[in-house]
Amino acid sequence: MPIVTSTEMFKKAYAGGYAIGAFNVNNMEIVQGITEAAKEVESPLILQVSAGARKYAKHVYLMKLIEAAVEDTGLPICVHLDHGADFDICKSCVDGGFSSVMIDGSSRSFEENIAVTRRVVEYAHDHGVVVEGELGRLEGVEDDVKVSAADSSYTDPAQVEEFVQRTGVDSLAIAIGTSHGAYKFKPGQKPQLRFDILEEVSRRLPGFPIVLHGSSSVLPEYVETVNRFGGSMPDAVGIPEDMLRQAAKMAVCKINIDSDLRLGFTAAVRQHLAENPSHFDPRQYLTPARDNIREIVKRKIVKVLGSDHKI
Ligand code: G3H
Ligand code: 13P
Ligand code: ZN
């Protein structure tokens, strides 16, 4: 099974009322934890790479790790650029073997977003690569970009048909109240998603795959472990898993998860080193970190995405 695009995955997910997990990868243990989980429960997968991940690990290392995972597991895996900021990074990922790229023009004006997205679509489609665009701005932190609550905005459903038609994008990320990072809602604040916007978007774009970013649930057991073993994370509330499940049954075909994996990885490393202060072989503390990634991804696939046994 070679690296695939998300086209077939999204078609089946839309029709079947489930979503594909798009998990961020930065190193070998993360790639292995995610793909071992997907193999176990027979789920298709999107592995996504941010600009920060490319800077940390180098494009070629991540690409080779993912190729190794495809060979090892035989899974259909789509390799996706997460939050491409401009044409150049999208082109570099298309040229470097990715099967999908996101051009994130959400901080630009409507017309500028359309122009840069259209340019990426033309190049990517010429090379057999699919493109995700974004309309509406999510609150939160990604790499060096921090979007405040005041600057964030829900997607305007009245813009989506024109955007999709003029750009030719294959999927669309929308803002309905999810946000990036580990601090999505304040303690005591009731998490809410604008399902009315999602419904209106899907009414205007029948059958078209919608993407949700910022969809970690900030699993409390891992926050608690981090803090029990020397961390000092403030209490945080993520996106409730049942809300994500509901979105997956609607037009949402791709759900992005990164912070929950970071949290699980760090919780394991902290706990292992605190309980085994004499250990200094990285394999000793990276083994439980990889185990946590595998358990979290399995839980997401079965409980949130519904993509198990869909191969
Ligand atoms: O949405 C952003 C992802 O969590 C990736 O984060 O840009 O720090 O690698 P990063
Ligand atoms: P989280 O920070 O909620 O995991 O979101 C990740 C994401 O949207 C990557 O694009
Ligand atoms: Zn994102």
Side-chain angles (χ1 to χ4, degrees):
M1 172 73 68
I3 286 168
V4 297
T5 71
S6 49
T7 308
E8 281 308 307
M9 290 183 189
F10 288 168
K11 251 188 225 155
K12 288 188 192 162
Y14 201 107
Y18 62 93
I20 311 295
F23 300 99
N24 288 70
V25 296
N26 292 278
N27 65 19
M28 183 189 77
E29 286 74 14
I30 296 175
V31 170
Q32 289 181 335
I34 298 167
T35 52
E36 283 167 11
K39 170 95 181 160
E40 223 178 295
V41 294
E42 298 172 39
S43 171
L45 261 188
I46 297 172
L47 295 182
Q48 55 187 15
V49 173
S50 69
R54 288 174 94 229
K55 197 167 151 195
Y56 171 75
K58 286 193 182 174
H59 181 101
V60 65
Y61 284 82
L62 293 170
M63 198 61 211
K64 299 286 176 197
L65 284 172
I66 295 170
E67 282 168 2
V70 168
E71 189 179 325
D72 185 41
T73 62
L75 286 173
I77 295 178
C78 167
V79 188
H80 175 75
L81 167 66
D82 192 25
H83 292 285
D86 54 31
F87 176 80
D88 288 345
I89 187 170
C90 293
K91 177 179 185 302
S92 166
C93 289
V94 169
D95 296 346
F98 283 20
S99 55
S100 175
V101 292
M102 173 190 192
I103 171 70
D104 182 353
S106 61
S107 60
R108 306 178 190 227
S109 70
F110 186 61
E111 283 302 323
E112 282 174 17
N113 190 356
I114 288 181
V116 70
T117 304
R118 177 75 221 154
R119 190 170 170 221
V120 170
V121 167
E122 278 167 8
Y123 188 79
H125 283 184
D126 273 354
H127 293 78
V129 170
V130 294
V131 179
E132 172 186 327
E134 177 163 344
L135 260 183
R137 292 199 83 186
L138 269 70
E139 193 184 335
V141 187
E142 354 149 345
D143 263 344
D144 301 330
V145 185
K146 187 172 186 319
V147 181
S148 70
D151 288 339
S152 66
S153 62
Y154 294 115
T155 301
D156 177 0
Q159 292 184 327
V160 297
E161 294 134 298
E162 184 182 350
F163 186 81
V164 168
Q165 196 193 8
R166 286 177 61 196
T167 59
V169 280
D170 303 281
S171 61
L172 181 68
I174 62 169
I176 60 167
T178 62
S179 61
H180 289 109
Y183 308 103
K184 300 181 191 301
F185 300 100
K186 294 180 181 58
Q189 194 183 354
K190 197 167 172 273
Q192 265 176 342
L193 295 186
R194 292 286 305 271
F195 283 102
D196 57 320
I197 295 178
L198 174 57
E199 255 168 31
E200 182 57 17
V201 167
S202 51
R203 196 186 63 76
R204 289 168 180 262
L205 297 173
F208 192 81
I210 299 301
V211 177
L212 280 192
H213 283 247
S215 296
S216 281
S217 297
V218 197
L219 300 166
E221 55 267 47
Y222 295 101
V223 178
E224 194 269 321
T225 304
V226 166
N227 287 344
R228 190 152 36 97
F229 294 102
S232 58
M233 289 184 65
D235 278 348
V237 182
I239 314 297
E241 292 183 320
D242 59 335
M243 287 190 189
L244 294 167
R245 185 76 198 95
Q246 191 183 336
K249 286 181 181 162
M250 299 165 71
V252 171
C253 293
K254 172 174 180 273
I255 292 188
N256 287 12
I257 296 169
D258 186 9
S259 297
D260 274 331
L261 303 189
R262 294 176 175 190
L263 201 50
F265 196 100
T266 301
V269 173
R270 278 194 178 278
Q271 177 165 1
H272 185 89
L273 291 176
E275 290 175 348
N276 303 276
S278 65
H279 282 183
F280 65 97
D281 178 344
R283 292 173 296 187
Q284 290 170 316
Y285 54 83
L286 292 177
T287 298
R290 181 173 56 194
D291 291 346
N292 268 7
I293 298 281
R294 190 174 55 243
E295 291 316 303
I296 292 168
V297 170
K298 247 193 291 177
R299 168 186 176 144
K300 300 286 176 188
I301 289 173
V302 173
K303 214 175 152 187
V304 175
L305 303 156
S307 64
D308 53 305
H309 303 100
K310 298 295 190 298
I311 292 180

